Amino acid sequence: MKTYPVLSISFSFLWLILSGIAPAKAESWIVEEGRANAEIVVAEKSTRSVRIAAGELQTYLKKITGAELSIVTSPTGTMPIKIFVGESAAAREKGVDAKGLSRDSFRIVSGSDWLALIGEDRDFTPVEPWSRNHNQWKNEKQAEWEKLAGHHWNNPVGSSIYKWYNKNLDFWAYDHRGSLNAVYAFLRDLGVRWYMPGELGEILPERTSIALSGIDKTVEPEFKVRGISRPLPGSPDNDDAMWYLRIGANKQYGILHHGQRHVLEHPLQRSSHPEYYAMLGNGKRDNEGRTPNACLSSEGFINEMVAFSRTMFDHYDIPIISVMPHDGFIHCQCDRCRDQFSPERGAEGQSSDYVWKFVVRVANELAKTHPGKKVFNGAYSTYRLPPQTIDKLPDNVLIQITNGRPIREMDDETHQSRAELRRQWLEKTSHPLSVTLNYTPLTNRGEYRPQYWPHVIARGLKDCADEVWREDVWLSSDKGGLHHPGMSHLNPFVISRFWWDATQDIDQLLAEYYQLFYGPAAHTMKAFIEYSEIHYGQLGTDGEITKEAIRLFDEAKAAAPPQSVYGKRIKLVDEYLETLRSRATQIRPNRPEGLPSFRLIDMEKEKWSDARETLQLDGKIDEAFWTAYSLQGNLRDLQSGEKPKYPTKFRARWWNDNLYLAIHCEGEPGTRPVIGTDRNNDPAIWHGEHLELLIETDQHAYYQIVINPAGALVDLDRGVKKEKWHDWASQAEVATHIGDGFWSVEMRLPTTASDEDPLHNIVGHRPFRSKKEALASGKGTSLPWYFNLYRKRAGTEDTETTAFSPLGPEATSFHDTLKFGELYVQ
């Protein structure tokens, strides 16, 4: 927070205020012994946020003192003191206005008989066509938009902007709210705190009098744009929406994520221009996937993206356009794109030059017609590292780094590596950076661990305050509000305070929080929260650490009377910890003896360099990539473990953070396998012959991938609620081959150690059999993965079912994770 004090309160006067002793003149009191001595003055035609600000000031002064101040549009002369909220003629008479203030910044100034709470205020007005709800866009506005644009494009502004408007409270997330921020700062100075949405989350000081003190300060936020995904400002719950305002969040108007999708996802683009889409390893264009990616060498697509951007600039007057690829990025394998792949740069840099060259081409074209507008792209996925062939990005390009500061890692190495990544990107641009923080995987994806990272957050924000203009924090979703607010409020609260003042002491901020929010349980909740932050990585997997966290919480729970406000706050945390308590009794159960293990051949070793070059994903598994080393696994009867009638053999490799599988399935000569479907994600796949791979990594339990002889694929994330199983896409490349009396599969499964995009790829560190082997390799500290591979000959009379790790005669389901075999690289 940039604060410019001119006149501060004297220590003697401050002592008078805190002790409740009145100054000599009655006019020096805004409220005296529960009696209003002031009125709130706003302009007759004030902005939306000023009207909210005046109401908030009136409400909270009454909550604190019992006195209700009137809201008027000009001084009435009946009250000794005037409080000016927002710019007005009356405030200008005192020499106070918002000139020179940046977005959302404010001034708090007082005189002998007045106080001004004034900031930079502006009402946002949306541009038509825009939808008031999801169905209206689909049923009415999309056609209007396409007629206007002259192209088959989706519309990221008009179709979803309604989410950022609150009908109940009448405000847009895009409004500028400086005067409202001034009111909240004034109330915080009086001791009001909003730790969590709703009355249970607020702290009110007890006093009957409030003095008018001498003050003149200007405050600017450390971060210009302070985005947070939950609570939504458009939430129908007023408590959630008001908390969004009270923590000082805002929103950037424009498109800041995955802009290519709005061109590529339109069904008529898919059918009319397949050449715009990335080519997969099997030679097919990816114009049917849920998250299609582009061929970034396609001149047609480049021209389409430029045309789309110009239309959005011209019609909606957005300042920034995203040209960022879609989630689950796929590097196109066409002749023009394939050679731009750089595997030597690792998983975070292998497509950097390819993607950023595309960004530069589009940006240069847009600079010719819209020199004042900006082009935006994220440093994300396989293009997270800076490009090596571009010394400096064009001046109209803005960079966003996904998880550009640590989100939950305490270690110095992570903090330093993120700082180095920011430094490298700052060398490529003359602008500060934007960062997105993806906390979304946590409570959305079967998470059970306490989620507290106040020290990580504070350290990260201190580190990057001078380098970043925008933060976009994605939290776990629960309709419009926070998910499990009793626990999850602390992280966004700390973030919001450091957005405004990154120099403050986190331990002082927390000490006040523990005392005010948890009262008699302050000490024990501090111990629980800070233990959970330090040991987050082991909670839920290390039995002793998990039990200690639960013990610390139980001490805190016992310290506060259940019916007290403190007990009610702790109860909300207790409700979330139910799953962790259950987990504590199941951690690292003893797996049955005799379970099989399988070793992945590490194709990154130099001795396999020639064999690596032979790989072709055509389903035939006859190249040296597979045959140069003969280690293979066999499937046995699911229940008996005996050799089956129709054998299945598989081989597996690890290369460039990809898991490769080759599977040979024998059948009846002269008879083709029964095929349930040739379409991806079609439940009919289970009605024919198919393979099922179930895989549990060190970071996630577990994934399910189903393949059939036609190459159809179904991928599911079984570690989340059932309704979200299909949200995940493995991004697998699959090729199949059907011969006489057999069929075979080749498959590449991309993996990543980062959970910043949990809806794509297998999330897990490179698997090793022991921590010693992992450390010796220099590749990380991961332990083994666990898996099972099944084959079911559904649609035939025998319906023979086989497995790598048989389940025994009592088996009733494939999904017995304790019977999974071990998978590791050696």
Side-chain angles (χ1 to χ4, degrees):
M1 175 174 62
K2 300 176 179 67
T3 305
Y4 309 98
V6 176
L7 177 64
S8 61
I9 307 171
S10 70
F11 282 107
S12 60
F13 189 68
L14 180 61
W15 181 83
L16 288 173
I17 294 172
L18 296 177
S19 63
I21 299 174
K25 295 182 180 180
E27 303 87 56
S28 299
W29 295 98
I30 293 171
V31 176
E32 183 180 15
E33 296 301 327
R35 187 184 73 253
N37 211 31
E39 60 190 5
I40 300 168
V41 182
V42 300
E44 186 172 352
K45 293 184 178 180
S46 54
T47 64
R48 288 186 290 261
S49 62
V50 165
R51 293 194 292 272
I52 294 173
E56 287 282 84
L57 182 61
Q58 181 187 57
T59 296
Y60 277 93
L61 290 181
K62 184 175 182 179
K63 284 186 175 185
I64 294 169
T65 67
E68 183 168 352
L69 278 62
S70 297
I71 300 174
V72 299
T73 55
S74 62
T76 65
T78 62
M79 287 289 174
I81 294 174
K82 283 75 65 180
I83 302 179
F84 304 115
V85 175
E87 286 194 291
S88 64
R92 282 190 287 273
E93 288 180 3
K94 303 296 183 182
V96 183
D97 57 38
K99 289 180 182 178
L101 293 179
S102 60
R103 179 181 180 181
D104 291 345
S105 58
F106 58 86
R107 292 188 179 115
I108 301 179
V109 189
S110 67
S112 61
D113 62 350
W114 57 271
L115 172 68
L117 306 170
I118 290 178
E120 196 272 333
D121 302 313
R122 190 185 309 169
D123 282 344
F124 171 77
T125 302
V127 178
E128 294 285 359
W130 67 278
S131 179
R132 278 64 175 174
N133 57 66
H134 175 74
N135 290 331
Q136 186 189 33
W137 184 264
K138 180 180 178 182
N139 297 333
E140 302 173 28
K141 301 289 185 176
Q142 176 68 25
E144 183 181 340
W145 158 244
E146 289 190 42
K147 182 178 179 180
L148 182 155
H151 289 261
H152 298 303
W153 297 329
N154 292 332
N155 186 317
V157 171
S159 64
S160 60
I161 199 171
Y162 66 90
K163 298 177 182 178
W164 302 101
Y165 175 65
N166 191 293
K167 291 184 288 187
N168 295 339
L169 302 170
D170 186 27
F171 75 87
W172 285 90
Y174 307 113
D175 291 340
H176 293 201
R177 295 183 285 272
S179 297
L180 180 59
N181 292 331
V183 165
Y184 288 142
F186 175 72
L187 293 173
R188 275 194 297 272
D189 286 344
L190 294 179
V192 180
R193 299 290 181 268
W194 298 279
Y195 290 124
M196 185 179 74
E199 289 189 1
L200 192 61
E202 72 181 22
I203 305 296
L204 298 172
E206 295 182 5
R207 58 171 66 186
T208 58
S209 300
I210 297 175
L212 174 65
S213 59
I215 189 170
D216 185 346
K217 69 177 179 179
T218 298
V219 176
E220 295 180 1
E222 300 263 12
F223 295 80
K224 180 180 178 181
V225 176
R226 307 168 301 280
I228 198 162
S229 67
R230 290 296 185 276
L232 276 173
S235 171
D237 187 316
N238 287 354
D239 286 339
D240 287 326
M242 290 306 302
W243 198 66
Y244 177 91
L245 298 178
R246 289 164 183 161
I247 64 174
N250 67 7
K251 178 77 174 170
Q252 172 65 49
Y253 176 55
I255 312 165
L256 291 169
H257 293 286
H258 306 297
Q260 292 181 19
R261 64 179 296 184
H262 307 298
V263 172
L264 295 170
E265 286 188 350
H266 195 291
L268 292 180
Q269 287 283 6
R270 294 174 186 259
S271 59
S272 301
H273 294 287
E275 73 277 10
Y276 289 0
Y277 295 81
M279 181 178 286
L280 305 179
N282 58 12
K284 296 180 180 179
R285 295 283 181 178
D286 181 33
N287 60 335
E288 296 182 359
R290 285 176 293 185
T291 57
N293 276 278
C295 169
L296 299 185
S297 298
S298 166
E299 294 296 327
F301 177 70
I302 292 170
N303 293 335
E304 192 93 19
M305 202 69 218
V306 170
F308 171 77
S309 301
R310 285 173 173 156
T311 302
M312 296 300 297
F313 283 151
D314 291 340
H315 186 76
Y316 284 99
D317 194 29
I318 60 174
I320 302 168
I321 188 79
S322 169
V323 299
M324 185 177 176
H326 212 320
D327 261 331
F329 181 72
I330 295 173
H331 192 113
C332 178
Q333 295 299 302
C334 77
D335 291 340
R336 288 174 297 174
C337 296
R338 188 186 307 111
D339 291 342
Q340 298 182 59
F341 189 66
S342 305
E344 71 280 359
R345 298 202 68 197
E348 293 190 331
Q350 57 197 17
S351 294
S352 286
D353 285 274
Y354 172 63
V355 170
W356 289 94
K357 282 179 184 177
F358 166 84
V359 173
V360 168
R361 286 198 61 184
V362 173
N364 286 339
E365 289 300 311
L366 292 174
K368 296 174 184 177
T369 55
H370 295 79
K373 303 292 188 178
K374 300 297 183 185
V375 174
F376 170 92
N377 191 59
Y380 181 59
S381 182
T382 56
Y383 47 95
R384 180 180 175 84
L385 298 181
Q388 293 180 324
T389 57
I390 302 170
D391 292 331
K392 203 81 170 182
L393 292 165
D395 195 55
N396 64 335
V397 173
L398 298 178
I399 301 160
Q400 172 178 282
I401 305 177
T402 301
N403 293 338
R405 60 172 171 83
I407 56 175
R408 51 184 175 268
E409 297 82 8
M410 295 286 286
D411 61 287
D412 291 343
E413 182 180 353
T414 301
H415 282 267
Q416 291 161 4
S417 67
R418 299 295 167 86
E420 174 61 19
L421 181 63
R422 294 194 303 270
R423 186 195 65 77
Q424 291 175 9
W425 273 113
L426 285 167
E427 289 183 352
K428 301 287 184 180
T429 179
S430 56
H431 301 291
L433 305 169
S434 169
V435 296
T436 284
L437 295 312
N438 277 341
Y439 291 94
T440 310
L442 303 174
T443 54
N444 259 11
R445 301 177 55 76
E447 184 56 68
Y448 42 79
R449 291 176 282 187
Q451 300 161 62
Y452 298 107
W453 303 290
H455 291 90
V456 176
I457 289 165
R459 181 179 180 184
L461 283 166
K462 283 178 185 285
D463 288 348
C464 67
D466 295 331
E467 304 169 347
V468 172
W469 69 278
R470 169 184 176 268
E471 281 219 337
D472 188 32
V473 178
W474 286 81
L475 300 171
S476 299
S477 60
D478 183 23
K479 298 182 181 179
L482 289 176
H483 199 51
H484 292 286
M487 180 198 61
S488 63
H489 68 269
L490 181 57
N491 294 329
F493 170 77
V494 171
I495 290 169
S496 71
R497 291 298 84 222
F498 275 74
W499 276 341
W500 286 85
D501 181 5
T503 65
Q504 63 188 294
D505 187 315
I506 181 59
D507 289 312
Q508 288 184 8
L509 183 74
L510 290 174
E512 180 187 72
Y513 164 76
Y514 294 134
Q515 189 59 51
L516 294 177
F517 202 68
Y518 293 117
H523 176 73
T524 46
M525 279 302 292
K526 174 182 186 291
F528 164 68
I529 288 171
E530 298 187 2
Y531 184 87
S532 296
E533 179 177 30
I534 292 170
H535 296 287
Y536 175 78
Q538 295 110 327
L539 285 169
T541 57
D542 186 301
E544 293 305 313
I545 288 175
T546 302
K547 290 173 183 176
E548 176 63 10
I550 292 171
R551 186 193 68 78
L552 290 170
F553 176 78
D554 287 342
E555 282 190 6
K557 182 179 175 182
Q563 297 308 312
S564 69
V565 66
Y566 310 112
K568 291 175 181 178
R569 291 166 180 161
I570 291 172
K571 182 180 179 182
L572 294 177
V573 181
D574 198 20
E575 290 171 358
Y576 176 82
L577 294 180
E578 180 180 343
T579 308
L580 185 69
R581 293 182 187 277
S582 174
R583 178 80 174 178
T585 65
Q586 303 170 10
I587 291 173
R588 295 201 177 181
N590 294 323
R591 295 178 182 265
E593 293 184 3
L595 291 179
S597 63
F598 194 81
R599 178 161 59 93
L600 290 164
I601 305 303
D602 185 358
M603 298 301 288
E604 295 175 7
K605 293 181 178 179
E606 183 59 30
K607 66 179 179 179
W608 303 119
S609 58
D610 292 339
R612 288 197 298 263
E613 302 302 318
T614 68
L615 178 64
Q616 291 184 345
L617 285 177
D618 56 10
K620 296 182 179 180
I621 62 174
D622 55 1
E623 54 264 52
F625 185 87
W626 300 113
T627 61
Y629 195 89
S630 60
L631 178 67
Q632 66 181 20
N634 297 280
L635 304 194
R636 296 175 288 159
D637 183 86
L638 177 70
Q639 294 182 314
S640 69
E642 300 294 327
K643 182 178 179 180
K645 178 179 179 180
Y646 298 103
T648 304
K649 305 179 187 301
F650 71 93
R651 295 177 181 179
R653 307 286 187 261
W654 187 272
W655 182 29
N656 285 337
D657 293 319
N658 292 286
L659 171 61
Y660 288 87
L661 289 169
I663 307 167
H664 179 90
C665 306
E666 292 189 22
E668 193 70 40
T671 303
R672 290 178 64 83
V674 176
I675 295 174
T677 183
D678 61 0
R679 293 183 293 119
N680 289 344
N681 298 304
D682 184 349
I685 197 170
W686 279 281
H687 298 318
E689 182 159 347
H690 60 273
L691 294 161
E692 295 196 36
L693 173 66
L694 276 57
I695 189 161
E696 173 184 334
T697 75
D698 65 315
Q699 290 183 263
H700 194 70
Y702 58 99
Y703 302 104
Q704 179 181 6
I705 300 167
V706 187
I707 315 106
N708 76 356
L713 178 76
V714 172
D715 34 25
L716 306 168
D717 181 350
R718 298 297 292 253
V720 298
K721 294 178 180 179
K722 186 173 182 179
E723 60 267 23
K724 294 184 177 291
W725 284 357
H726 291 274
D727 291 352
W728 177 71
S730 64
Q731 301 294 111
E733 284 191 57
V734 176
T736 59
H737 171 70
I738 299 177
D740 183 17
F742 75 94
W743 64 282
S744 55
V745 180
E746 284 181 302
M747 179 164 53
R748 181 184 72 87
L749 288 165
T751 76
T752 176
S754 170
D755 63 1
E756 65 186 25
D757 179 16
L759 298 182
H760 299 89
N761 300 349
I762 291 174
V763 178
H765 295 89
R766 179 186 177 107
F768 288 92
R769 200 164 197 178
S770 69
K771 188 170 289 188
K772 180 179 179 181
E773 290 177 0
L775 291 171
S777 73
K779 299 286 186 178
T781 59
S782 170
L783 294 177
W785 294 0
Y786 297 93
F787 82 108
N788 215 343
L789 177 64
Y790 301 96
R791 177 189 176 191
K792 186 169 184 178
R793 300 188 71 247
T796 62
E797 291 185 1
D798 57 49
T799 63
E800 182 179 66
T801 304
T802 52
F804 171 66
S805 181
L807 303 181
E810 306 300 323
T812 58
S813 167
F814 285 2
H815 302 272
D816 185 346
T817 59
L818 293 184
K819 296 287 183 68
F820 285 9
E822 190 178 70
L823 185 68
Y824 63 95
V825 178
Q826 188 176 41

